[in-house]
Amino acid sequence: MGGLGSDLRQAAEGDDSDVAAFAERHGRLKLDQADRALVLGVSAATIDRLLVETKLAAAGGKRRRVGFYPAVRREVPIRTFNDWHDPPPGFCEVDMVAHGGISVAGSFIQVLTMVDVATGWTECMPLVTREGGLVVRAMERAQSLFPWIIRGADFDNDSAFMNDVDVPWCRAQKSEATRSRTYKKNDQAFVEQKNGAIVRRLVGYGRFDGAEATCVLQERR
């Protein structure tokens, strides 16, 4: 199903089983009547159980620390777009733009975008891959470029941010860590606008990977 989660896959199919019918029409799925009934009747929990080994292989054989990421996320307060109330310089929205092209397989460059809400000052830092330690290094680099101290960092709910590296780092810097609501991109309207106006406009939508490409993008910033 192209990586769709079980709940999303079921929602996409809906009562009319559009996804299954589409796959059958285009020769991607061949089912007899009995198997079709089983596929359309399977629960989300069963799908997740059947996909455990597949997901593990896709993650490079690393099992996720169950419950840890949600625990970190619960500790970080939510900030919506309407909660900014004209902050002083130093409060930033932070996001990442993926440069995997048409595939999310493997490792590829992510550009970390930081925009100061009060002034619009923006720094874009390419990362060779999506990893919490690299996020911290990029934020440290951004801090050296901003003409003021980073007083707050507002993230989305990505595990590359909501982890035991980034959140504690913010606290150690006495920088307020907040997060947007899940699936509410408008909560980060400032950085989302810069992602399109700067990163996508200059870098595009192609796939970039490796240290050499990261260095080239760093030189262009």
Side-chain angles (χ1 to χ4, degrees), residues 14-34:
D15 294 336
D16 295 329
S17 309
D18 292 338
V19 173
F22 179 87
E24 288 179 314
R25 281 198 307 272
H26 292 270
R28 300 296 297 274
L29 186 66
K30 293 182 180 180
L31 300 170
D32 59 29
Q33 187 172 359

Side-chain angles (χ1 to χ4, degrees), residues 5 28 90 110 117 131 134 145 190 199 219:
R28 300 296 297 274
Q110 308 269 343
V117 172
E131 196 270 321
L134 296 179
L145 298 170
F190 295 105
V199 182
E219 291 170 0

Side-chain angles (χ1 to χ4, degrees), residues 161-219:
F161 300 132
M162 297 292 106
N163 55 58
D164 61 343
V165 177
D166 297 353
V167 174
W169 179 84
C170 286
R171 291 171 178 163
Q173 305 301 310
K174 308 219 181 295
S175 176
E176 180 186 8
T178 57
R179 63 183 175 90
S180 63
R181 295 170 294 176
T182 306
Y183 306 124
K184 299 289 185 181
K185 286 187 174 290
N186 285 344
D187 283 353
Q188 288 200 307
F190 295 105
V191 74
E192 290 289 348
Q193 191 272 333
K194 299 298 184 182
N195 285 342
I198 297 177
V199 182
R200 289 301 186 193
R201 183 172 65 85
L202 295 178
V203 182
Y205 293 84
R207 184 180 181 90
F208 299 93
D209 54 47
E212 185 176 354
T214 304
C215 290
V216 171
L217 289 177
Q218 180 65 41
E219 291 170 0

Side-chain angles (χ1 to χ4, degrees), residues 114-180:
M114 294 186 65
V115 55
D116 181 74
V117 172
T119 66
W121 186 299
T122 303
E123 294 294 342
C124 301
M125 322 294 295
L127 313 182
V128 71
T129 191
R130 178 177 164 276
E131 196 270 321
L134 296 179
V135 169
V136 165
R137 277 192 241 166
M139 292 182 68
E140 289 174 338
R141 171 65 175 154
Q143 176 61 92
S144 70
L145 298 170
F146 279 117
W148 43 71
I149 298 296
I150 298 175
R151 303 183 185 189
D154 185 64
F155 305 104
D156 64 16
N157 291 275
D158 194 315
S159 59
F161 300 132
M162 297 292 106
N163 55 58
D164 61 343
V165 177
D166 297 353
V167 174
W169 179 84
C170 286
R171 291 171 178 163
Q173 305 301 310
K174 308 219 181 295
S175 176
E176 180 186 8
T178 57
R179 63 183 175 90
S180 63

Side-chain angles (χ1 to χ4, degrees), residues 76-94:
V76 178
I78 289 175
R79 187 195 296 274
T80 71
F81 179 77
N82 293 323
D83 291 333
W84 280 116
H85 303 307
D86 297 321
F91 286 88
C92 299
E93 288 185 349
V94 186

